[in-house]
Amino acid sequence: MVLAPGLVLVAGLAAGLKAVTAGESPATPAVETLRLLGKQRRRTPDDDPGLARVGLALLPVAAVLALAVVPLGDRAPVDLDVGVVWFNAMEVVAWFAVWVAGWGPNAVTSLAGGYRVLPLGLAYEVPHMLAIITPAIAAGSLSPVAIAAAQQDLWYAVWMPAAFVLYLVSVAAMAFWGPFAAPLGRDLAGGAAAEHAGLDRLLLLAGRWMLLTAAAAMAVPLFLGGGAPPPITGPDPFPGLPALWFGVKLAVVLGLLLALRRAVPMLRMARFATLAWVVLVPLAVAQALVVTLVVLA
Amino acid sequence: MTALVAVVGALGAVAVVTGLLVFTVNSMARATFLLLASFVAVGAVLIGFGLGYLGTVVILMMTIEMMIMVVFMVMLMMNPAGLMPMTMVHNRRGSWAIALVVFGLLTTGVWLVPFPTPGPAAVGDPTLALGDALMGGQMLTMMTLGLALLATIVGTVAVAVSRR
């Protein structure tokens, strides 16, 4: 039950960090939240607000449901034996959410922004699936708890670096973040978010931060050994505090994702689709093949 | 057990009702949403039956499938943009006839086919047992087919993308 407020808090902290790196005040996200809460929603002629609000409300809900199977420390809130697949299923709900959020207002920029989610999704999803299934192959389980436990001696980020990098790139695309922010692009005056104000806008923007945070959290059990200390440190300096190690690793992954936004300019969807299918998919298949051969040998 | 039956029954009702509503709305986005809701309810029913993997995969694949359907809408529909009203049904008389005949055949079939008597409960992972029952000796064929399909998709995209 503390999962949703906890996710909101961590996502808010991440948003504050982003504000600092963008040269704004760290309180900007909080101020912006209060401002949006105090504003009225906006309607456009002949719109479909009901459908748009279904999507807008689904975005943060999907983020919380995705986080529910992630072990925060040594135990997951819901220890699902097919947790990796469940996580994937919840994150594709975001495609639908952003698409209807852009569709609802019946406005050009908003609609085009919503449609941009589709080529983005079609480009990142296959490398993403291969990237999350590779640790599962190595651990012989689809449960994130079991995958984290299988990394006692060697982090999967070290053993399968290509899968780790592909995971980071694809979750940035999943949360339409950084170079993949085209659905909310400035060239479309805000894209899918253009016509949303007040609570609607807050749900979309906060839901996106929550999605990014939940995806960063999943990287910890999949690639960074979960709540265990790094294998090279020898005896655990903080025994019995897996949640602490989880928090440190989550902060590192979030930092990498924030740096990605600063380092790479916005990509055109068509170029990213080419890159994904010509480079990223073969790379992901090769990584999965290497891991499978090592596991079988 | 009774609670599980009630929940699964309610989800089944949701799946049927949202499936029917698909044909009553006048916007493609609403139809997509209702169809997705119907499929997700079916996925949840499978999870209720203890088939966690299959149910989750149904939710995952159906969500992606609906979104790919939207790509086809953009490609093929005359007006994939605004909220111009549209109808989800065509050829009313013909479809009524087809629907009634198919319903009649299926209903007759339900009563005529000898139902299997419940054997011993599946041992171990029900997903594994179901997969073995469905594919059995064809597993290698299916795996090869899947890989060939993936290679075809990648190849098609690589050929179709024009490089400037």
Side-chain angles (χ1 to χ4, degrees), chain A residues 6-244:
Chain A
L7 181 57
V8 171
L9 183 70
V10 177
L13 288 176
L17 191 65
K18 182 248 158 186
V20 172
T21 59
E24 296 159 8
S25 154
T28 308
V31 174
E32 183 72 4
T33 302
L34 292 176
R35 189 182 71 82
L36 287 177
L37 279 176
K39 274 187 80 172
Q40 277 212 325
R41 287 164 155 173
R42 188 191 299 162
R43 292 281 304 269
T44 41
D46 293 324
D47 59 348
D48 192 344
L51 192 64
R53 278 169 199 167
V54 166
L56 292 164
L58 264 179
L59 198 58
V61 169
V64 172
L65 287 177
L67 188 71
V69 296
V70 179
L72 315 166
D74 53 352
R75 281 185 304 123
V78 181
D79 187 5
L80 204 62
D81 58 347
V82 290
V84 171
V85 187
W86 173 264
F87 177 80
N88 199 202
M90 289 306 112
E91 68 193 36
V92 293
V93 169
W95 301 14
F96 174 78
V98 178
W99 174 60
V100 287
W103 169 277
N106 194 23
V108 171
T109 50
S110 162
L111 183 81
Y115 273 146
R116 279 184 180 179
V117 168
L118 305 173
L120 182 65
L122 295 181
Y124 90 80
E125 185 59 30
V126 175
H128 178 74
M129 279 179 171
L130 286 162
I132 59 174
I133 221 69
T134 309
I137 293 171
S141 168
L142 286 170
S143 155
V145 179
I147 293 173
Q151 301 173 51
Q152 287 294 337
D153 305 319
L154 185 62
W155 284 2
Y156 286 166
V158 179
W159 184 28
M160 41 189 94
F164 182 51
V165 171
L166 285 173
Y167 182 82
L168 288 182
V169 170
S170 57
V171 294
M174 181 189 100
F176 40 105
W177 169 253
F180 311 106
L184 304 185
R186 236 181 244 173
D187 53 337
L188 285 178
E195 299 294 340
H196 291 298
L199 184 60
D200 291 342
R201 191 179 182 80
L202 179 66
L203 282 172
L204 182 58
L205 299 182
R208 182 232 215 151
W209 274 106
M210 289 164 73
L211 203 62
L212 189 71
T213 311
M218 192 54 153
V220 177
L222 286 190
F223 294 101
L224 300 175
I232 46 170
T233 55
D236 190 349
F238 309 102
L241 277 177
L244 179 76

Side-chain angles (χ1 to χ4, degrees), chain B residues 17-160:
Chain B
V17 170
T18 47
L20 283 173
L21 286 176
V22 166
F23 298 98
T24 62
V25 293
N26 61 359
S27 121
M28 76 174 209
R30 288 189 171 207
T32 307
F33 165 64
L34 288 166
L35 196 53
L36 179 59
S38 182
F39 284 138
V40 168
V42 172
V45 166
L46 285 176
I47 296 177
F49 284 161
L51 297 167
Y53 178 76
L54 282 185
T56 316
V57 163
V58 164
I59 297 175
L60 169 67
M61 297 321 281
M62 286 306 155
T63 314
I64 297 182
E65 190 191 303
M66 287 301 114
M67 293 296 98
I68 289 178
M69 200 171 79
V70 174
V71 175
F72 277 84
M73 288 177 193
V74 176
M75 287 195 293
L76 302 175
M77 280 178 60
M78 277 179 283
N79 176 26
L83 300 171
M84 195 179 278
M86 53 169 279
T87 173
M88 294 297 293
V89 286
H90 312 281
N91 186 16
R92 283 173 175 267
R93 278 194 198 151
S95 34
W96 265 113
I98 296 170
L100 286 176
V101 168
V102 171
F103 181 77
L105 282 176
L106 288 177
T107 321
T108 324
V110 165
W111 292 106
L112 289 184
V113 166
F115 267 65
T117 48
V123 185
D125 186 4
T127 306
L128 188 70
L130 184 64
D132 196 42
L134 285 177
M135 304 237 254
Q138 275 70 49
M139 199 67 86
L140 185 64
T141 319
M142 298 308 285
M143 296 299 283
T144 317
L145 194 66
L147 205 61
L149 273 174
L150 179 66
T152 313
I153 294 169
V154 175
T156 315
V157 173
V159 171

Side-chain angles (χ1 to χ4, degrees), chain B residues 1-13 45:
Chain B
M1 194 61 207
T2 321
L4 183 67
V5 170
V7 169
V8 165
L11 284 168
V45 166

Side-chain angles (χ1 to χ4, degrees), chain A residues 235-264:
Chain A
D236 190 349
F238 309 102
L241 277 177
L244 179 76
W245 281 116
F246 175 81
V248 170
K249 293 170 184 177
L250 172 61
V252 170
V253 177
L254 272 175
L256 286 174
L257 288 171
L258 292 184
L260 182 70
R261 178 181 159 278
R262 305 285 295 172
V264 185

